[in-house]
């Protein structure tokens, strides 16, 4: 088979077949196009403003390493004027995070970026190793995910930074869309697709500049640029549901590579159909701003990809399973439910098939943002998830000490 | 026939952990499979699982006898999708890289 030439420069030998459009590219053109596309995502979504201080959530893994490398390149090439900082979370898992933190330390030198490491132990008084010792391996992802989400925000606050970027890629988003679809959680589905979470009301905003980048291309970019990244699996149990969704996404990709971006786009389109969510043009009425996507619904929890449990996912799932049982026999279509709502007026709308959250229901799920009474962190509950989990842990610890 | 093809095989992205934590391996691959057909990538993957993998979890590399979706293969630094994927016939001194996208950081 004669080697194909690059579709872009038509001189070099093609080395990559792009999943999104089957284009065959040489190494140089692939790297340039990949960077151009991330630049396009950044400018079209107006992710940054000149002079902004931005923390890169850095795990030492491929996604965050590529993100740091690309952002450094684009910041210099296009004069974004960003002040970039690496922010790493040390969950306190011996033999897992130690090595990846070493990678992040090398990245800090390679990219000339300051590095801040915040540990679960200093933030919460618990390392994940201690949590697992107390509660066992089952369900520990819930703790890790909830703690991590806050840890990134708290780390950013310590640095006086209001914007954290994460390395979530198109495959991650597709995975999350599928998971929410499989759970029937349309409200969360719509939030999970937004590129920015958090708005002026929240203290730290999150964004995903690699949202449209295929994982395959991220790995190839890291390979061809010879980036220094670390891969490992969390030594504690990965989350089975996300693992299955992930497997499904990869199988679909093998058969039809465009499927991944198609799922992302479908997720975005469905988001527009969910009233009171990101698509809503009315930010003034609801307690939740229209463009707001709760940071706590952001994807990504556990550092491992296959086990990348969003901490609240399992808790939410458990809760939902219970709710679903309670709602048994109430499987009705939305149109009927809406009509019924209108008739019932002020009645409780428990029978609505759209579900999630405990906020005041207006027929569709709404979450009211407030500050946790204990730690002040933004939360949809009186006491935030982290403080609830900590309360349980600390009770446990007190008992053990007695 | 006992002909073998000398090649190098690399593992990355976490797959190296299945192969004694070693990234690069020199392999003398039988030139033909048990049916006498020239060795291709599918045969190589099966051969690696049977002969080189130090971890019992062969399902990390093979799923239903095929290379697991989510694992990228580079043949002499080129995307295997440009080279015929599992049907690519291994040539002497080829470098085959298996890199997984499934592991995190």
């Amino acid at each position: 088979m004669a080697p194909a030439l690059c579709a872009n420069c038509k001189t070099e030998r093609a080395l990559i077949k792009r999943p999104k459009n089957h284009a065959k590219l040489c190494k140089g053109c692939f790297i340039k196009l990949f960077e151009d596309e991330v630049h396009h995502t950044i400018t079209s979504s107006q992710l940054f403003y000149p002079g902004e201080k931005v923390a890169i959530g850095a795990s030492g893994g491929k996604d965050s390493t590529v993100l740091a490398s690309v952002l450094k390149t684009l910041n210099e090439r296009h004069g974004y004027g960003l002040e970039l900082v690496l922010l790493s979370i040390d969950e306190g898992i011996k033999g897992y995070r130690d090595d990846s933190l070493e990678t992040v330390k090398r990245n800090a030198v390679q990219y000339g970026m300051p590095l801040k490491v915040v540990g679960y132990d200093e933030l919460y008084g618990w390392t994940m190793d201690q949590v697992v010792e107390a509660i066992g391996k089952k369900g520990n992802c819930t703790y890790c995910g909830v703690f991590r989400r806050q840890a990134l925000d708290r780390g950013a606050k310590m640095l006086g930074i209001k914007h954290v970027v994460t390395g979530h890629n198109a495959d991650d988003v597709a995975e999350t869309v599928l998971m929410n679809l499989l759970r029937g959680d349309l409200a969360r589905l719509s939030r999970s697709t937004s590129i920015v979470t958090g708005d002026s009301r929240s203290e730290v905003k999150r964004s995903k500049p690699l949202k449209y980048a295929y994982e395959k291309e991220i790995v190839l970019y890291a390979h061809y640029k010879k980036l220094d990244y670390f891969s490992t699996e969390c030594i504690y149990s990965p989350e089975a549901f996300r693992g299955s969704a992930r497997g499904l996404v990869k199988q679909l990709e093998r058969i039809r590579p465009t499927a991944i971006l198609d799922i992302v786009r479908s997720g975005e389109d469905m988001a527009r159909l969910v009233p009171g969510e990101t698509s809503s043009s009315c930010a003034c009425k609801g307690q939740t701003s229209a463009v707001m996507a709760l940071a706590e619904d952001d994807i990504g929890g556990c550092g491992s990809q296959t086990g990348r449990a969003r901490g609240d996912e399992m808790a939410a799932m458990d809760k939902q399973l219970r709710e679903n049982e309670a709602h048994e026999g109430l499987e009705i279509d939305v149109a009927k439910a809406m009509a019924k709502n209108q008739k019932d007026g002020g009645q409780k709308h428990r029978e609505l098939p759209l579900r999630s959250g405990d906020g005041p229901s207006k027929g569709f799920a709404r979450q009211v943002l407030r500050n946790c009474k204990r730690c002040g962190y933004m939360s949809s509950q009186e006491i935030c998830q982290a403080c609830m989990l900590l309360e349980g842990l600390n009770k446990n610890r007190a008992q053990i000490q007695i | 026939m006992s002909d073998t093809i000398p090649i190098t095989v690399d593992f990355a992205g976490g797959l190296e952990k299945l192969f004694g934590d070693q990234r690069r391996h020199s392999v003398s691959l039988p030139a033909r499979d048990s049916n006498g057909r020239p060795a291709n990538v599918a045969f190589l993957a099966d051969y690696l699982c049977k002969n080189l993998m130090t971890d019992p979890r062969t399902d990390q590399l093979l799923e239903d006898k095929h290379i697991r979706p989510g694992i990228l293969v580079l043949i002499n630094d080129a995307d295997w999708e440009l080279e015929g994927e599992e049907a690519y016939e291994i040539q002497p001194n080829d470098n085959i890289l298996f890199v997984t996208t499934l592991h995190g950081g």
Side-chain angles (χ1 to χ4, degrees), chain A residues 19 24 59 81 120 128-129 173 177 273 292 299 349 353 364 368:
Chain A
K24 296 170 181 176
S59 65
Y120 282 5
M128 275 313 291
D129 284 338
V173 176
V177 168
L273 301 175
M292 163 68 91
I299 49 175
H349 305 130
F364 291 98
V368 188

Side-chain angles (χ1 to χ4, degrees), chain A residues 169-207:
Chain A
N169 57 45
D171 297 49
D172 295 330
V173 176
E175 212 172 280
T176 307
V177 168
L178 282 182
M179 285 169 74
N180 288 321
L181 197 61
L182 295 173
R183 277 187 208 129
D185 193 343
L186 274 183
R188 182 164 271 142
L189 182 146
S190 89
R191 285 191 296 267
S192 67
T193 56
S194 46
I195 188 160
V196 178
T197 52
D199 69 355
S200 54
R201 293 185 37 161
S202 55
E203 289 171 271
V204 179
K205 92 172 181 184
R206 296 277 187 92
S207 66

Side-chain angles (χ1 to χ4, degrees), chain A residues 13 15-17 24 27 59 61-62 97 215-216 219 223-224 231-233 246 250-251 254 303 305-306, chain B residues 13-14 17 63 67-72 74 77-83 97 99 101-105:
Chain A
R13 183 186 161 201
L15 288 181
I16 294 130
K17 189 170 166 193
K24 296 170 181 176
K27 200 186 286 188
S59 65
K62 60 187 185 335
R97 197 42 105 197
E215 194 152 52
K216 171 181 172 180
V219 170
H223 173 71
Y224 288 130
S231 14
T232 185
E233 284 297 285
R246 186 168 193 79
K250 298 297 183 195
Q251 279 167 6
R254 180 81 41 108
Q305 292 264 349
T306 39
Chain B
K17 290 185 172 57
E63 193 176 285
I67 292 170
R68 193 177 166 201
I71 291 178
L72 292 181
L74 294 188
D77 230 18
D79 190 345
W80 73 328
E81 287 186 45
L82 296 172
E83 305 285 343
L97 165 67
V99 53
T101 64
L102 299 167
H103 288 225

